[in-house]
Amino acid sequence: MCVFCKIVKGEIPSYKIYENKNVLAFLDISQVTPGHTLVIPKKHYENIFELDEKISGELFKATNEIAKKLQKKLQINALNIINNNGPLAGQEVFHYHIHLLPRYENDNVKFNYPKHEFDKQKLEEIHKKILGN
Ligand code: 5GP
Ligand code: ZN
């Protein structure tokens, strides 16, 4: 059984901050910033590609609610939502989860994305690939 399934079952302790029938949220064990929270479906889905669409609706609704709770209780006005799917994307726990990362002045968190300027032809090619059969 995976580590988050164990948290759902109560076999591993966690600092829960939200719970309903299908969704659980708890503090990440390694806090990138204070209040760093994980929102998960109680049922095991490995990643976004497996996730049930009804559950994804419930998850985002809960995520929205929790974000507002963190905003109010931690007095923050900036927050990143991160979700890693697959090892190439940095996923380490293979039970779907959404990170909520409250942001603070001078918190020293930096996202280092490369930014590529694609020309029209390249963008059209990608667009066609996604929309085509
Ligand atoms: P990922 O890299 O898969 O998106 O993130 C997995 C996250 O799960 C990491 O931030 C890690 O700190 C967190 N995590 C791993 N094991 C546990 C645990 O036993 N309890 C809690 N609360 N968080 C965990
Ligand atoms: Zn699991």
Side-chain angles (χ1 to χ4, degrees):
M1 196 192 298
C2 94
V3 65
F4 289 174
C5 281
K6 286 183 181 162
I7 286 175
V8 170
K9 283 204 158 200
E11 289 176 12
I12 292 179
S14 68
Y15 292 96
K16 293 188 180 116
I17 62 163
Y18 177 97
E19 183 165 16
N20 70 24
K21 187 167 163 272
N22 297 316
V23 178
L24 180 66
F26 51 90
L27 294 180
D28 193 304
I29 203 164
S30 61
Q31 295 274 288
V32 173
T33 60
H36 178 186
T37 297
L38 300 174
V39 188
I40 69 166
K42 286 185 177 173
K43 193 172 164 202
H44 184 95
Y45 300 96
E46 186 166 320
N47 55 38
I48 190 89
F49 307 116
E50 288 195 350
L51 191 62
D52 175 90
E53 286 181 18
K54 187 179 163 287
I55 295 291
S56 69
E58 289 186 34
L59 269 177
F60 201 71
K61 189 172 181 295
T63 298
N64 194 181
E65 230 176 274
I66 296 159
K68 287 170 181 162
K69 187 179 185 139
L70 296 176
Q71 180 195 31
K72 190 170 165 206
K73 299 293 177 104
L74 301 179
Q75 297 181 335
I76 49 122
N77 257 314
L79 176 142
N80 294 107
I81 295 178
I82 300 164
N83 162 227
N84 304 320
N85 297 281
L88 261 184
Q91 185 175 9
E92 288 180 355
V93 174
F94 295 93
H95 181 132
Y96 185 82
H97 54 280
I98 297 170
H99 295 258
L100 292 192
L101 204 60
R103 298 301 303 272
Y104 303 87
E105 283 296 340
N106 304 315
D107 64 16
N108 235 354
V109 175
K110 285 186 184 66
F111 298 102
N112 194 14
Y113 301 119
K115 287 191 178 173
H116 306 291
E117 291 278 333
F118 280 10
D119 60 23
K120 192 166 172 279
Q121 190 191 335
K122 186 81 183 151
L123 288 172
E124 276 174 7
E125 200 180 294
I126 297 164
H127 187 237
K128 216 162 154 186
K129 207 169 179 179
I130 295 170
L131 293 189
N133 303 314

